[in-house]
Amino acid sequence: RLVLFSLLSVSLLYGTFIYFRIFQFELDVNIERFLTLALFFVVSMFYVFLSDRLTQDAKLSNLMIEENRVAEAMVEMTRILSSSLNTDKVLSSFVARLREVIDAEECAIVRIDSKSGAARLLMRASQPDERDVAIDLDQYPELKQACASRQLLFAPDAKPTGLLAVPMVINESA
């Protein structure tokens, strides 16, 4: 559109100059110089258009690469889930890969008993040997909130480094 608008503008100006020459108005305009400048203008607009298009293509390409990376991670996680009957091995592999995919400092699976409200850390990516440890939910109000709302919660200001909580809902229980 920008190139077409530029060409239209140049054509209108050129037409105006020709109109004045036909009716013998005295204009001190060198048509050849005008057309040379107009050509440079159109070419520069084309380069602006082309660079904008290349930038958009690069952003789209990066987005597709990221989508492909996430899809590959999901396939690998599905493979991990179906490859073993050992729960600890599956959970350990799952949190390690998820931590890597989302580029997080830590990734853990916490189970909150819906009746008692007690929370247990089932698996932690940074310390896979630390399993089934009781945790105090009062220290993590974001986890309580995510469990109660049953919706993803992103708390960038949570202490010490921010938190992303994704409740898993099974049979109406978070």
Side-chain angles (χ1 to χ4, degrees):
R1 286 188 226 171
L2 186 60
V3 172
L4 290 175
F5 177 74
S6 301
L7 285 171
L8 178 67
S9 300
V10 168
S11 298
L12 287 174
L13 284 173
Y14 179 71
T16 304
F17 288 134
I18 294 300
Y19 175 79
F20 283 125
R21 277 212 169 151
I22 290 173
F23 292 104
Q24 269 111 34
F25 289 109
E26 284 299 319
L27 291 175
D28 190 22
V29 175
N30 184 340
I31 295 294
E32 187 177 315
R33 217 181 246 164
F34 170 76
L35 289 177
T36 303
L37 289 174
L39 179 64
F40 283 131
F41 177 71
V42 170
V43 169
S44 68
M45 287 296 115
F46 177 72
Y47 282 127
V48 167
F49 167 77
L50 188 61
S51 89
D52 182 53
R53 187 68 184 169
L54 289 174
T55 302
Q56 288 176 358
D57 287 350
K59 287 178 185 176
L60 184 60
S61 177
N62 289 340
L63 184 64
M64 289 175 66
I65 289 169
E66 180 62 21
E67 289 288 328
N68 190 34
R69 187 180 73 85
V70 170
E72 287 174 357
M74 296 302 287
V75 167
E76 184 178 341
M77 285 184 204
T78 302
R79 185 190 53 77
I80 289 169
L81 288 172
S82 64
S83 68
S84 175
L85 296 175
N86 182 338
T87 306
D88 288 340
K89 183 179 176 185
V90 169
L91 291 179
S92 177
S93 297
F94 188 77
V95 293
R97 184 65 177 135
L98 187 58
R99 175 183 175 195
E100 189 180 300
V101 168
I102 61 174
D103 194 26
E105 289 181 29
E106 182 62 86
C107 182
I109 296 178
V110 176
R111 181 180 215 167
I112 302 173
D113 187 291
S114 59
K115 293 177 183 151
S116 68
R120 301 198 71 76
L121 179 70
L122 296 181
M123 185 62 63
R124 175 184 282 177
S126 64
Q127 298 171 343
D129 294 332
E130 184 179 328
R131 291 183 221 122
D132 202 26
V133 177
I135 61 170
D136 181 11
L137 276 182
D138 290 333
Q139 293 179 3
Y140 305 98
E142 299 86 5
L143 291 180
K144 276 180 160 177
Q145 182 182 351
C147 186
S149 71
R150 297 180 181 173
Q151 294 184 358
L152 179 138
L153 175 83
F154 177 58
D157 299 328
K159 301 298 182 214
T161 60
L163 179 112
L164 174 65
V166 183
M168 291 182 247
V169 180
I170 301 170
N171 295 330
E172 302 296 322
S173 295

